[in-house]
Amino acid sequence: MRLHFRGVVLPGDEVRDLWVHDGVIGFEPIAEAETVHASGWIVPGLVDAHCHVGIKYGGGDEDRDGAIAQAEVERDAGALLLRDAGSPIDTRFIDDREDLPRIIRAGRHIARPRRYIRELGIELDDERDLPAIVAEQARRGDGWVKIVGDWIDRAVGDLRPLWNDAILKEAIDAAHREGARVTSHVFGEEALVGLLDAGIDCIEHGTGLTQDTIAMMAANGTALVPTLINIDTFPEIADGAGKFPVYAAHMRDLHRRSRETVALAREAGVPIYTGTDAGGSIPHGRIADEIVALTGAGFSAHDALGASSWNARSWLGHVGIEPGAPADFVVYQQDPRLDLAVLNTPSWVVLRGRVYDRRDPVTAYR
Ligand SMILES: [Zn+2]
């Protein structure tokens, strides 16, 4: 198939003709191309940088068909590049599917017994095993490893770090030696200093960030994936934590100041990207909601979209719309920056040059 699209290409704001052949974008006309769309807004494929393909909704391991269905929902929402931020199942078979989003894997979550969602991650009885397990997961993943940084400690009744600082430094060094970057689940304040001192590359959630830890992130170029639509479930988590009133109050407070925290991180220059935390308790296909949520933390619509598209792609080593780039983009009838609700109704999703007609959802055009 030879296909032609014309529209305003973001982020450059230029009207362009895109010619798609063999899954690749060209800027030069090609003969006998069929025009799919002649006027619209064309956005590099959206990125959900925290998207657990492989965790069943409600918890547990997803089966193969279920994982495929999750990935299809993401594709149809325009999320064409996913960083899985940990998955309990092997999703490598998805790489053979031309019709499913590209997945950047982070291996399995690494936690300790009773210190994370039960049976989701690898649970280390002895924390001294962390560096070796991190190295192993680094070899299994696609350049990322996920460590659970803090969780409720029921003996204390509040969020507490899972690891001592020296072990974290060894573990993060081990990942870096394998050529992998490390990210960590962190809700509270306390675990952040040790992780940032150890040279971590990214923080998930980061609700406990303070001026000091924000300054450390900015100085190190550490990325933040706040997952705001997941943070919005903190009040429910608190409601269900009756036996732990200190923890419940902590979670409510972290939620209450979450937009302000992200706004401070943005102003300090911390690179921030979209992640929905889909899988488990958040349904797939909600990338548009996370982009909208960023505008509640001081982002312009243009910058919120960039945090989910061109900027996030470049952070993860993927290009946007340029000659020779893979044809992964989304076409909208209106400018999504004037009304981000437009992101819920893409006209066309193009992945590896295959076109999905979203004007009539469920019908694939090719
Ligand atoms: Zn997650």
Side-chain angles (χ1 to χ4, degrees):
M1 277 311 295
R2 296 153 180 255
L3 302 171
H4 167 235
F5 297 81
R6 182 177 172 81
V8 179
V9 173
L10 298 188
D13 256 327
E14 251 174 298
V15 176
R16 281 199 176 278
D17 294 283
L18 303 184
W19 307 86
V20 173
H21 183 43
D22 282 344
V24 170
I25 295 169
F27 284 0
E28 299 299 322
I30 50 176
E32 290 163 36
E34 179 186 340
T35 296
V36 177
H37 205 86
S39 82
W41 275 260
I42 306 178
V43 177
L46 302 182
V47 177
D48 190 337
H50 189 137
C51 181
H52 303 287
V53 171
I55 302 179
K56 196 190 272 295
Y57 187 64
D61 293 8
E62 187 53 276
D63 61 23
R64 200 180 160 101
D65 288 347
I68 289 169
Q70 291 178 341
E72 284 172 343
V73 168
E74 295 297 348
R75 178 200 66 208
D76 290 346
L80 305 183
L81 180 62
L82 314 175
R83 188 185 57 147
D84 74 4
S87 181
I89 67 162
D90 182 354
T91 58
R92 283 281 164 208
F93 66 92
I94 287 180
D95 293 349
D96 301 329
R97 292 276 302 247
E98 294 267 301
D99 60 329
L100 298 178
R102 301 171 200 271
I103 301 187
I104 296 169
R105 292 171 188 76
R108 295 191 61 187
H109 299 74
I110 306 173
R112 303 207 62 201
R114 296 179 49 77
R115 298 299 305 282
Y116 193 52
I117 299 165
R118 221 155 63 91
E119 291 174 2
L120 178 55
I122 298 170
E123 299 179 353
L124 303 189
D125 288 319
D126 187 340
E127 71 172 326
R128 288 170 298 182
D129 293 338
L130 184 66
I133 297 295
V134 160
E136 186 183 298
Q137 292 304 310
R139 292 190 287 269
R140 286 186 42 167
D142 298 317
W144 282 91
V145 182
K146 171 82 173 285
I147 298 175
V148 177
D150 69 1
W151 195 252
I152 184 171
D153 180 339
R154 290 173 178 81
V156 175
D158 199 359
L159 294 167
R160 291 297 306 276
L162 267 68
W163 318 96
N164 82 56
D165 292 355
I167 287 288
L168 283 174
K169 176 84 177 93
E170 265 186 65
I172 291 170
D173 285 349
H176 288 166
R177 277 196 298 276
E178 297 289 340
R181 291 188 271 185
V182 185
T183 193
S184 184
H185 162 109
V186 193
F187 284 167
E189 295 83 355
E190 207 182 335
L192 285 163
V193 175
L195 289 160
L196 292 168
D197 263 338
I200 194 145
D201 303 281
C202 181
I203 296 291
E204 311 297 309
H205 320 300
T207 36
L209 282 164
T210 59
Q211 253 175 2
D212 288 350
T213 43
I214 285 171
M216 290 173 79
M217 289 185 76
N220 297 341
T222 315
L224 174 64
V225 178
T227 71
L228 288 171
I229 64 171
N230 181 31
I231 291 169
D232 288 343
T233 68
F234 281 16
E236 281 164 52
I237 296 173
D239 289 346
K243 279 191 290 184
F244 303 105
V246 173
Y247 168 73
H250 196 176
M251 293 296 279
R252 287 202 179 88
D253 180 53
L254 293 170
H255 171 254
R256 197 162 34 235
R257 52 194 168 92
S258 59
R259 270 47 177 188
E260 189 189 334
T261 303
V262 173
L264 288 171
R266 189 190 69 85
E267 284 159 24
V270 173
I272 297 172
Y273 306 107
T274 51
T276 64
D277 213 351
S281 61
I282 305 285
H284 283 272
R286 293 193 57 195
I287 191 62
D289 294 338
E290 184 65 19
I291 296 169
V292 170
L294 282 182
T295 64
F299 279 73
S300 66
H302 178 90
D303 289 347
L305 189 53
S308 189
S309 175
W310 49 92
N311 288 332
R313 295 182 66 84
S314 140
W315 172 57
L316 293 171
H318 285 252
V319 292
I321 293 172
E322 58 184 52
D328 292 6
F329 56 83
V330 191
V331 184
Y332 303 96
Q333 192 59 51
Q334 264 98 37
D335 185 346
R337 297 166 305 175
L338 298 180
D339 177 7
L340 288 170
V342 166
L343 296 172
N344 290 309
T345 53
S347 299
W348 306 92
V349 171
V350 181
L351 174 60
R352 299 183 180 88
R354 293 180 178 216
V355 180
Y356 301 87
D357 184 350
R358 301 299 298 147
R359 299 168 310 170
D360 174 18
V362 309
T363 313
Y365 175 77
R366 296 276 173 248

